[in-house]
Every structure is written in structure tokens, then in C-alpha cells.
Amino acid sequence: MAPVAEYEAACLPELLPLYYRRLFPFSQYHRWLSYGGVTKNYFQNREFSFTLKDDIYVRYQSFSNQNELEKEIQKMNPYKIDIGAVYSHRPNQHNTVKSGTFQALEKELVFDIDMTDYDDVRRCCSSADICTKCWILMTIAIRIIDRALREDFGFRHLLWVYSGRRGVHCWVCDEAARKLSVAARSAVAEYLTLVKGGEETVKKVQLSDPVHPFIKESLAVVRRYFTDYALVGQDIMGSKESMDKVVALVPDDILAALQAEKNPTKRWEKLKVIVQQKQASSKKSYYTEEEIMLQYCYPRLDVNVSKGVNHLLKSPFSVHPKTGRISVPIDLRELGQFNPFDVPTIRSVFGIFSDYKRTSLAKYVKLFDQFVEEMERSRKGELLRRTDLQKDF
Amino acid sequence: MLFGGRKKKGVENPQTELYGHCLQLYTQPPLENISLVEFEQFAVDRMKLLKTVENLGVTHIKTSEDYSKKLHAEISSLNFPHRTEVSTFIVPAVASEYEKRRKDHISHFILRLAYCQTEDLRRWFIQQEMDLFRHRFNDLSPKSKSDFLHRNSLQYETISVEEKKSLMEKLINSSYAFSGCTVEEQDFYKVPFQDALDLVRMRKVFVKDGFAYVPHQDIVTIVLNDYRTRLSKALALTARSLPVVQSDERLQPLLSHLSHAYVGQDYSIQKNIGKISLEQIDSLSTKSFPPCMRQLHKALRDSHHLRHGGRMQYGLFLKGIGLTLDQALQFWRAEFLRGKVDADKFDKAYAYSIRHMFGKEGKRTDYTPYSCMKVILSNPPSQGDHHGCPFRHSDPELLKQKLQSYKISSGGINQILELVKGMHYQLACQKYFELTHSIDDAGFSLNHPNQYFSESQKLLTGGKEVKRELDSPRRPHAAAGSENSKAPPETPSSSNRVPQEVMDDLDSFFQEE
């Protein structure tokens, strides 16, 4: 299935002004980034960057309040909006600040999962292309990372956003997350990393005893999807070439034995049996089956995106200039039904062409609204809890 | 951070409470008065200790028994506190143990002053202090460790038996050191994951709800993390207060000396004065000179000139190996005159600076030859310079070529380059020493170019003294190939250039320490 064929960036100058005047949820956006106004100047010291027409890129944009933000965006009509860190001073005045004192202080913990990073393990598409078959990888990624961030790290306010083309982003907005150091961010990202190695590495996942509880949990998720995704959808055991890649991950030469079995799904069963036999006659642990599953399905993060406090990431509700799709929040309660091809584009949102019915941004704005409200509720609760504690003395 | 402040109890002697444990985190600076002599002695001793920590850290695995034994020996010999039984009395049982702890405390803070100024110095100091701490902490008895955690108000809770039971399987599977019984036996601490990053990063610990479940045996990692963060912040703060400290004339020379100091023989008193003849220098340069001096010597021979940095580094080295002032004057004069400098200019300008080096001019300070640390850390060479440390300052490719030209085996070159990559420049030089002298172990820790020379001479002459040679009258040097010291005719332009350069060089003298 090809991405939206009719869209062209040429329509942006005409449609963006409409979008920013009528649909962009400025109110919730401002509420989100103000975080209840608890920290002084938190919104004012936030860096935004805009990509304008003709690839002009401007950094260190900052705004005093929602009104200024609206006016400026409606004036500039950026093709793309990025959100950066909260700095020690207003970013738009950073040149007036004494060298060395202008510093990035806080930012949400973010993750960027990009389908291109899975090119070596998907057969249906490559590079910037996606389809419903490989989109399952994103579903798996979201389930695994979301669980880990909540259950292992205790984070509660996570916003998952469709990037608009080939991946998803996660914004972890808890106060503790925003205050994390570079070292802490990289530690979390590494904790979540299981697939290692680039072009030259064939076997990218190695497991050994003992298997950490986190890996066990992640495997449980992968197992649920593996058969449908890898064996059926990607048909990894279906051709010699594809099987070769799988077998390359297995300790011994069992290709012939597998080829003898004609049914691809049965081949996988056969592989498991052979590995079990090896296991029975050996002292060390074989995790071959698990390693293959993880290599084909486990999320691949870009650690560099997560590490930097000052890293700029595409804003929710920004438009993707190449596809026209709007970066909308993803509802995890209906994750299985999420279809990136149903996401509104800058054209469909205005009902521009007749063969698609007009799509609405409403449900996504509502989702966003709920997210912001949940944070506000939680903040109030925390405040009450703290004042209660104080009252006890 | 959950390390609380020190609880103020009404003890009679607050100092003994401060030194109630042999190990500390240096959170409170010393408040007493101290003599300058003690100030310097403490600082020098701690520096020796940290140097040993550094050397052992590269040549040994830090958890090995050999490492521990050797470090323990050094700690004892320098009179620093080490593992002692924790006394249940408030006043430590042995007065000298108190003295040791006081020395530990004060010397750490003095070295902060010396090592806060540059990123390099700070990094080095933090690394060695952490290694030292790790060794000392691991050396404590379990009871002593608990006592330490207690005293430092570690507010990490241990998990209840019930919680441990419910998480048993997960705790067992989060580290391969564990079995059911070790989990049951040990205390597990609930530590906010931000305080246990190293363990979290490598999934060496169970993580739930934002907490890492750290077993008692791993608690040192947590403490170290905290120590490093504190020390880093403290050094940054110290650097800001430094100008005030440095304006104290009594302290400034000491601190400056410390941060560049070589701890050990400083070769300012030459034992072998007059025992080297000028004719020997060429051959000595290939056999017994460290690469930095060999390089300088060759550059001097090739271009009949060295710029100021090179003249200082090499000139002082030559003084250190035993050249007299007269010999030095002869040596430099002969070489410079082969170049663009005429006798008159030399006598007027360069001779002055050589006499200066020997303490016969100007401030009349007898300059000491540079230690490795000084060569590596100060005054990096620029275009046209040949001084510095080849392992530190040469591009690795060029270094490789140079080593090849010195006929070092390719295996040896690789070993050296590995050490260079790990920034162990002195060890790389030591390896060079071992390869060029065909021995397995140098038997000393290289810290000074003159040390290199004397160790080399010891080996080559079988420990016998260098044969004493009389100062011989100046003879044309065979290698240089010229018979007379006649300089090529000066062109008007060059005779204008030279004085200015000389003037610049003299200026920089007065910026020397």
C-alpha cells in the first residue's frame, strides 16, 4: 500500500495558514508545556525551532505566553515545528547571555522509533516505506517500551505520537523524567536496548543466563505477535534467501533439515525442535529461538535522540512535510486498531479531495486534552499530598 | 540525592566524631590551623599515593588480589588509614590512627586546590580518588561497610522479607552472582534508579517502579556514583575560589608546584656532574634518551636550532644528566653556530638563557628538569616545535613511523599505540624502554625523563658509575661533519630577524615559574 499519492508539499503554503488558524490545539499545547506554572518561566524558557519554506531553519524561538506563540506560528506558518529543552534563559535572548551560562536545564525524556532501523529484518518494505504488515513492529515497540517505562521506571505520563511517516515518538512528561541528566537518559536507553550492531553484525541479539526480568517481559510481548508478524506476514521461513538470514543466527548448519520441511510455519517448529535437541545434550543454555524472535521484532531505539537534554524533536500536531500527515497522539487503548494510513493529512483534514471523506482531528485533540488533564490532576494530587504531609508537623 | 547531612550530636570532641570511621566522603573541609610544612608533606604524600593508584590501575585488574596487596602496602607506608576494626568507642583506640585519618582528610582537600583548575587535572584527580575509595571500601569488613553507610546517612531502605519473597525469582534473575540463598542472606536496598545508573544501564539489577533493587554487595557502585558527582561539583566550586587562595604568597608556589609536580626524585641535584662528555651525546641519544629528548636532540642536530620550549625541555634535561654549565654552553654554541646564528649573537642572547637555566642569571633559581607530567600537561607544542611528549603530542601515524624508524618491532609498536590510545603516555614510554632495552619489565614506574636516562644507563653499564671524563677542549663533532664553527655568511634580512626572535625568547623567560 503506497502512502498518500496525491499529496505534495506545494499545497502547504496554502493550507498551513488554515491549519494554524483553525485546527492546531494551542490551548492544550500551552497547558501541556506550562506544566501547571509550577516552575517560573518554564514555558518562556522553552526552545522551539521552525522549519520554514525553502528549508529555512530557525532555532531558539521562544514565547512569553500562548498568545505570542499563536501569533508567531500563524505569522511564520512553519512547515515543521520542533520542541527543544527548557533553558536557563529565554532562548530568543541567548545571544545576550554571558557565554557559558546559557544552558539546557530540563526536557521530557523522549524516544524515537524509526522503521528504517528495521530494514534488515523486514521484507515487505524498505527505507521510508511502511505498510500494515510491518506496522506491527511499531505496535510491538510501543507495547514493550510503554510497559518498561511505566512498570520498571515508574513513569506515568507518556504521550505516544505518530511521527507522520515511518515511526513513532514517545514523550515522557513526568517531572522526574524532565529532570533527568544526560547520563540517566542514556542509562534508560541502554537498559531498553537489546538489538546491537550495524551492517557488519549478523547476530544482533545475544542472551545468556540469567535472563533479566525485563527481557522476559519483553519476550512475552514478542511471542504474542511473532507467529502472525514474522512467520505469516513477513514469511521469514518462506524463501531460501530469507531463511538463510534466519539460519545465520543459529549456531549450526541446519539449513538442509529446514528446507526438507515444505511448510514455512512448520519449519519454525522444526527449528525449535532441533535447538531443543542441542540443548538437551549441552550444559550451556541455548536461547536461539528467543534471540531470533528478538532480532526480528524487538524495538530499535536511536539512543542519541534520548540522550541529549537539548535534543530537538518534532512536535505533536506538527505536519510531516513529506507526507502531509499530522503527527497525532496514539490511543494505546486502541493500539491494535491504529492504522497510519487513516491518520488525517493536511488536505484530508479540510476535506480537500473527494475520494477520501473528510477526516477529523477532533478525536486526536481529545486524546491530547485527556493527557494534559491527567497530568494536571496528578499535579494537584501531588500538591495536596505534600501540603498534607507538612500539616502533620 | 538521599545522602543526608551529618547529624550534629553533642559529643565532647567533634573532631573524633568526624574521624569516627577510617573512610569518609570528604564532605566537610578541615577547620583547623596547619603548618606550611605539614601542608606540603600531606599533599606530597597523597600525591604519591594517587600516582601509585594510577600506575597499579593500568597494570593490574582493580579487583585482583595483587592490586589490593600492593595498594594496601603503599597506603600503609605513606601512613594513610586503612582497614581497621571498627571500634565501639567514640574515641579511636590508637592515637596514630586518628593522625592517619586526619592526614587523609586534610591531604584530600589540599589536592582539590591543586587539581581543580583544568578539565584534565580534575578528571585525573577524580579517577584516582574514586579508585582509591573503591579499594578502601571493598577492603572493609561487612560490619564496617554498614557502619559507613549508616554514618553517611544513606537513606535507602532495605526491603522487607515479604517483599523479598514476592520478588525472589526476579531478584535471582537480575544478576548471575545470585542463587536463592544469596538473595535470602543479603539485604537489598531500594535505590532510586537515578542513583544506580551504572547498574541499571547494564541491566545488572532488578528495576521496578523507578527503584533499583541493589544488593548489599553492589552498594559500592552506588556510593561511588555519589562520590564522583559530589567531587565533580566540589572541584568546580573550588576552582572559583582559587584566585583568593592563589593570592596567598605562601601557598601559590606550593600549589603550582603540586599540580605540575613530579613526586619523586627531581634531578635538580646532579649526581653525575661532569661525567658525560659531549662526544657521547649522539650515541647516548639513541641508547638512553627517552623519545622526547631523542627527538629534540635530532631536531637540534638537523636544524641547528631549537625554539624556546625545546631549549628549555632539552637544556634542563642535559643539565640533569650531568652536563656542566661550560659543557652546555659549548654544546649549544657549537650547534647554533652551524645554523644561522653567529658567535656574537649567541654570546649575547642564547648564552644568557643557558646560564639562566643553571641559575647563574636573573632570578638565580636553579631550574629543575621537567618531569613527564610537566612535559605532557604544560605548554603543548605548536608548528615548528619539537618539544612535548611524542606519545601525547604526536599524531599516532607519525608516532608509528618514528617508532618504525627506531627499529621497534611491529608487535611492540602495537602495544605502545594501544597504551597511547588509552592515554597512558608514561606507560607507553615505559614500554618503549622495555623494548629498546630488551627486557620484560622496566622495574620502575616512569615519571621523569632523567629517570629514564639513569635507569637506562644503569642497565647498560651494569650499574657501574659512568666513567668520569675530563672536560675535553672543543673538538669538531664527527657526526655533524663540519670542521669549523664558521657560520654561513649572514644576509642583512636574517641578521635583522634574529635579534627579535631572541628578544621574544627572553621575554618568555620571565614568564617561567
Side-chain angles (χ1 to χ4, degrees):
Chain A
M1 226 182 105
V4 185
E6 299 90 341
Y7 166 81
E8 268 175 21
C11 74
L12 288 177
E14 191 197 323
L15 294 178
L16 284 174
L18 286 176
Y19 177 69
Y20 289 128
R21 249 163 258 276
R22 300 208 215 143
L23 293 175
F24 190 94
F26 284 107
S27 168
Q28 294 90 334
Y29 198 73
H30 176 257
R31 269 162 62 208
W32 168 34
L33 295 173
S34 303
Y35 288 99
V38 173
T39 309
K40 198 160 161 271
N41 289 325
Y42 210 71
F43 182 79
Q44 291 78 357
N45 289 346
R46 169 83 65 167
E47 179 191 2
F48 296 86
S49 75
F50 295 155
T51 307
L52 308 172
K53 195 161 177 261
D54 300 324
D55 273 332
I56 298 174
Y57 182 63
V58 289
R59 268 193 76 171
Y60 300 111
Q61 306 298 295
S62 60
F63 311 100
S64 308
N65 50 45
Q66 181 186 328
N67 196 37
E68 237 184 62
L69 172 76
E70 270 192 63
K71 290 272 176 303
E72 191 65 15
I73 288 184
Q74 284 158 1
K75 188 173 104 184
M76 310 266 261
N77 291 303
Y79 276 29
K80 185 167 170 271
I81 303 174
D82 289 334
I83 302 178
V86 176
Y87 282 81
S88 51
H89 305 76
R90 288 181 189 226
N92 64 5
Q93 292 171 3
H94 75 284
N95 284 320
T96 66
V97 177
K98 196 169 86 152
S99 153
T101 41
F102 179 70
Q103 298 196 356
L105 298 178
E106 293 187 15
K107 191 178 70 75
E108 294 74 11
L109 172 63
V110 295
F111 295 94
D112 180 353
I113 305 174
D114 189 328
M115 200 74 88
T116 345
D117 293 337
Y118 294 78
D119 278 358
D120 59 315
V121 289
R122 52 175 183 148
R123 295 172 69 192
C124 50
C125 308
S126 72
S127 168
D129 296 330
I130 58 168
C131 69
T132 44
K133 279 200 219 159
C134 50
W135 185 258
I136 301 184
L137 288 170
M138 292 295 111
T139 308
I140 296 174
I142 294 175
R143 292 230 183 273
I144 290 178
I145 307 277
D146 193 76
R147 184 215 69 81
L149 290 172
R150 286 181 195 278
E151 290 177 18
D152 296 2
F153 289 100
F155 295 126
R156 306 211 338 258
H157 305 290
L158 278 63
L159 183 69
W160 284 94
V161 181
Y162 171 53
S163 75
R165 188 155 67 144
R166 59 192 193 208
V168 295
H169 300 157
C170 179
W171 295 78
V172 186
C173 301
D174 297 55
E175 188 182 345
R178 287 180 271 131
K179 290 176 148 59
L180 289 176
S181 65
V182 171
R185 287 165 207 256
S186 96
V188 174
E190 279 182 58
Y191 175 93
L192 297 170
T193 301
L194 277 181
V195 180
K196 293 189 185 155
E199 294 290 318
E200 293 91 52
T201 317
V202 173
K203 192 155 176 65
K204 297 189 160 93
V205 182
Q206 311 262 19
L207 298 181
S208 55
D209 277 327
V211 176
H212 191 275
F214 164 76
I215 301 179
K216 284 214 173 102
E217 295 281 349
S218 307
L219 267 169
V221 177
V222 168
R223 271 186 226 274
R224 284 190 348 237
Y225 291 91
F226 185 74
T227 307
D228 280 343
Y229 165 71
L231 297 180
V232 179
Q234 296 292 316
D235 198 19
I236 61 175
M237 299 303 263
S239 74
K240 178 175 184 305
E241 188 203 333
S242 163
M243 247 203 315
D244 275 349
K245 284 199 186 145
V246 177
V247 170
L249 307 177
V250 169
D252 252 4
D253 171 45
I254 55 168
L255 186 57
L258 290 179
Q259 278 184 307
E261 173 57 65
K262 291 304 169 195
N263 182 325
T265 319
K266 293 230 176 83
R267 278 177 188 161
W268 179 253
E269 293 303 317
K270 183 115 196 189
L271 187 149
K272 290 206 289 195
V273 166
I274 296 176
V275 171
Q276 265 168 15
Q277 284 169 349
K278 284 177 86 59
Q279 175 76 84
S281 59
S282 158
K283 277 209 190 75
K284 72 176 186 131
S285 294
Y286 280 88
Y287 289 108
T288 312
E289 186 198 336
E290 289 82 356
E291 285 162 354
I292 296 175
M293 289 199 286
L294 291 171
Q295 180 147 344
Y296 275 83
C297 300
Y298 185 85
R300 297 162 180 222
L301 308 169
D302 184 350
V303 178
N304 289 314
V305 169
S306 309
K307 259 182 12 190
V309 179
N310 52 6
H311 189 99
L312 290 143
L313 186 64
K314 185 143 171 286
S315 166
F317 293 100
S318 183
V319 179
H320 197 299
K322 294 214 170 74
T323 60
R325 297 227 184 256
I326 300 172
S327 294
V328 294
I330 299 175
D331 191 345
L332 259 62
R333 296 165 301 193
E334 294 176 9
L335 184 56
Q337 286 90 319
F338 181 83
N339 184 345
F341 299 102
D342 287 342
V343 170
T345 68
I346 186 85
R347 302 182 75 190
S348 74
V349 102
F350 293 112
I352 299 285
F353 42 94
S354 55
D355 30 350
Y356 287 78
K357 58 180 200 295
R358 177 171 173 164
T359 50
S360 172
L361 212 54
K363 77 171 183 190
Y364 301 102
V365 174
K366 183 153 178 232
L367 200 56
F368 187 45
D369 197 79
Q370 284 170 346
F371 172 74
V372 177
E373 253 188 52
E374 175 54 43
M375 280 204 296
E376 282 166 351
R377 224 174 306 152
S378 161
R379 248 193 314 272
K380 280 203 192 91
E382 180 61 30
L383 210 58
L384 280 172
R385 202 180 64 86
R386 285 192 198 159
T387 49
D388 267 351
L389 284 174
Q390 285 170 2
K391 282 198 204 118
D392 283 347
F393 294 112
Chain B
M1 264 307 321
L2 294 183
F3 282 90
R6 198 163 300 284
K7 302 191 264 280
K8 287 256 182 280
K9 292 192 230 164
V11 281
E12 279 158 40
N13 189 346
Q15 287 285 36
T16 48
E17 176 54 32
L18 182 63
Y19 299 142
H21 195 286
C22 63
L23 195 58
Q24 61 160 297
L25 285 169
Y26 312 103
T27 52
Q28 313 286 350
L31 295 172
E32 55 179 290
N33 289 332
I34 169 176
S35 71
L36 285 177
V37 170
E38 213 174 22
F39 187 95
E40 184 162 9
Q41 188 57 52
F42 280 4
V44 168
D45 279 355
R46 194 180 192 90
M47 226 188 356
K48 282 189 186 157
L49 178 57
L50 294 186
K51 273 263 139 209
T52 304
V53 169
E54 179 186 25
N55 286 332
L56 289 176
V58 190
T59 51
H60 295 70
I61 299 177
K62 290 176 194 172
T63 43
S64 71
E65 216 182 293
D66 205 22
Y67 174 88
S68 296
K69 252 197 311 198
K70 290 188 177 162
L71 189 45
H72 186 95
E74 182 77 354
I75 292 175
S76 299
S77 83
L78 288 169
N79 267 319
F80 281 102
H82 53 273
R83 174 188 183 146
T84 41
E85 285 312 306
V86 174
S87 167
T88 48
F89 308 117
I90 292 177
V91 176
V94 182
S96 68
E97 177 64 25
Y98 172 86
E99 280 304 311
K100 290 181 188 177
R101 295 178 187 185
R102 175 176 167 268
K103 176 172 173 174
D104 179 39
H105 183 211
I106 295 174
S107 62
H108 171 90
F109 277 91
I110 298 173
L111 287 195
R112 279 195 195 182
L113 294 171
Y115 283 92
C116 63
Q117 282 179 292
T118 70
E119 202 49 55
D120 274 344
L121 290 173
R122 286 188 222 184
R123 206 179 306 136
W124 183 87
F125 183 65
I126 291 176
Q127 181 62 53
Q128 311 323 320
E129 284 284 340
M130 277 183 51
D131 283 347
L132 176 63
F133 185 94
R134 187 190 295 113
H135 162 82
R136 292 170 67 189
F137 186 87
N138 282 333
D139 212 28
L140 298 172
S141 68
K143 188 169 176 301
S144 208
K145 276 185 190 156
S146 297
D147 190 31
F148 176 83
L149 295 177
H150 223 348
R151 279 170 186 275
N152 287 283
S153 310
L154 243 91
Q155 285 162 24
Y156 301 138
E157 307 160 21
T158 48
I159 64 177
S160 65
V161 175
E162 294 82 36
E163 193 176 1
K164 207 194 279 187
K165 244 203 236 162
S166 71
L167 297 172
M168 183 64 85
E169 170 123 10
K170 303 203 171 166
L171 292 175
I172 296 176
N173 283 325
S174 34
S175 167
Y176 78 76
F178 287 148
S179 61
C181 33
T182 41
V183 167
E184 264 181 60
E185 290 160 9
Q186 280 199 59
D187 272 334
F188 274 76
Y189 296 86
K190 249 170 98 163
V191 175
F193 84 88
Q194 294 93 325
D195 296 346
L197 292 180
D198 286 335
L199 294 172
V200 169
R201 177 193 308 275
M202 298 194 285
R203 284 189 300 263
K204 282 201 174 147
V205 78
F206 176 59
V207 182
K208 179 168 167 252
D209 251 340
F211 287 95
Y213 286 69
V214 183
H216 188 92
Q217 70 187 38
D218 283 338
I219 208 77
V220 65
T221 315
I222 312 293
V223 180
L224 271 176
N225 236 9
D226 180 71
Y227 185 38
R228 187 209 340 246
T229 316
R230 278 170 194 267
L231 196 47
S232 198
K233 285 202 184 114
L235 286 175
L237 274 172
T238 310
R240 276 181 235 163
S241 332
L242 204 55
V244 172
V245 173
Q246 282 184 324
S247 65
D248 186 326
E249 284 177 357
R250 302 166 301 168
L251 299 183
Q252 190 271 333
L254 276 167
L255 292 176
S256 180
H257 177 73
L258 278 176
S259 58
H260 290 138
Y262 158 64
V263 184
Q265 241 192 307
D266 63 3
Y267 297 96
S268 55
I269 302 167
Q270 286 81 53
K271 294 202 208 129
N272 299 314
I273 298 183
K275 288 189 183 156
I276 308 282
S277 81
L278 296 179
E279 289 73 34
Q280 292 175 288
I281 293 184
D282 279 326
S283 101
L284 284 173
S285 80
T286 54
K287 291 207 279 241
S288 290
F289 281 14
C292 53
M293 303 305 174
R294 181 173 178 173
Q295 168 175 299
L296 279 165
H297 180 75
K298 183 161 190 304
L300 176 62
R301 285 289 190 222
D302 287 346
S303 12
H304 314 299
H305 186 265
L306 277 183
R307 295 164 105 223
H308 177 251
R311 290 200 303 273
M312 287 302 287
Q313 185 175 321
Y314 189 40
L316 289 170
F317 170 77
L318 289 175
K319 182 172 83 147
I321 67 173
L323 250 58
T324 63
L325 173 59
D326 283 334
Q327 283 179 304
L329 284 166
Q330 264 182 34
F331 174 74
W332 291 97
R333 190 175 197 271
E335 202 54 52
F336 272 50
L337 259 47
R338 277 185 208 112
K340 297 194 200 123
V341 178
D342 75 29
D344 208 33
K345 296 289 188 301
F346 183 87
D347 291 333
K348 278 202 190 116
Y350 291 102
Y352 176 96
S353 70
I354 295 165
R355 285 197 299 277
H356 205 276
M357 253 187 248
F358 280 74
K360 303 284 190 269
E361 296 284 356
K363 281 195 284 186
R364 309 230 171 226
T365 317
D366 205 6
Y367 287 102
T368 51
Y370 296 170
S371 64
C372 287
M373 188 137 156
K374 176 145 186 177
V375 171
I376 290 169
L377 289 180
S378 338
N379 191 19
S382 340
Q383 196 59 29
D385 286 325
H386 298 280
H387 64 267
C389 170
F391 300 104
R392 163 76 174 91
H393 297 118
S394 284
D395 173 68
E397 264 314 298
L398 292 179
L399 177 62
K400 188 172 172 187
Q401 283 171 31
K402 187 167 289 176
L403 293 171
Q404 282 165 342
S405 75
Y406 293 164
K407 305 274 189 292
I408 310 287
S409 70
S410 65
I413 293 181
N414 283 335
Q415 285 180 298
I416 291 178
L417 291 177
E418 269 310 299
L419 288 167
V420 167
K421 209 158 65 165
M423 296 184 9
H424 306 300
Y425 310 118
Q426 285 153 265
L427 287 178
C429 195
Q430 214 168 291
K431 173 70 33 191
Y432 171 86
F433 181 96
E434 286 160 8
L435 291 164
T436 49
H437 293 74
S438 304
I439 52 173
D440 282 327
D441 183 7
F444 63 94
S445 240
L446 181 63
N447 271 312
H448 201 294
N450 287 91
Q451 175 197 24
Y452 185 108
F453 179 80
S454 63
E455 291 288 341
S456 172
Q457 282 292 291
K458 242 192 329 200
L459 264 177
L460 295 175
T461 61
K464 293 192 290 261
E465 293 246 309
V466 174
K467 207 161 72 118
R468 194 184 177 92
E469 293 202 13
L470 296 165
D471 273 6
S472 34
R474 232 207 119 265
R475 277 168 16 218
H477 202 289
S482 68
E483 294 303 312
N484 293 314
S485 53
K486 188 156 184 277
E490 294 255 327
T491 62
S493 53
S494 54
S495 62
N496 281 336
R497 265 204 332 263
V498 171
Q500 185 54 45
E501 191 205 340
V502 169
M503 290 314 293
D504 288 346
D505 282 356
L506 280 177
D507 273 352
S508 50
F509 261 125
F510 296 98
Q511 289 160 26
E512 273 292 304
E513 57 169 347

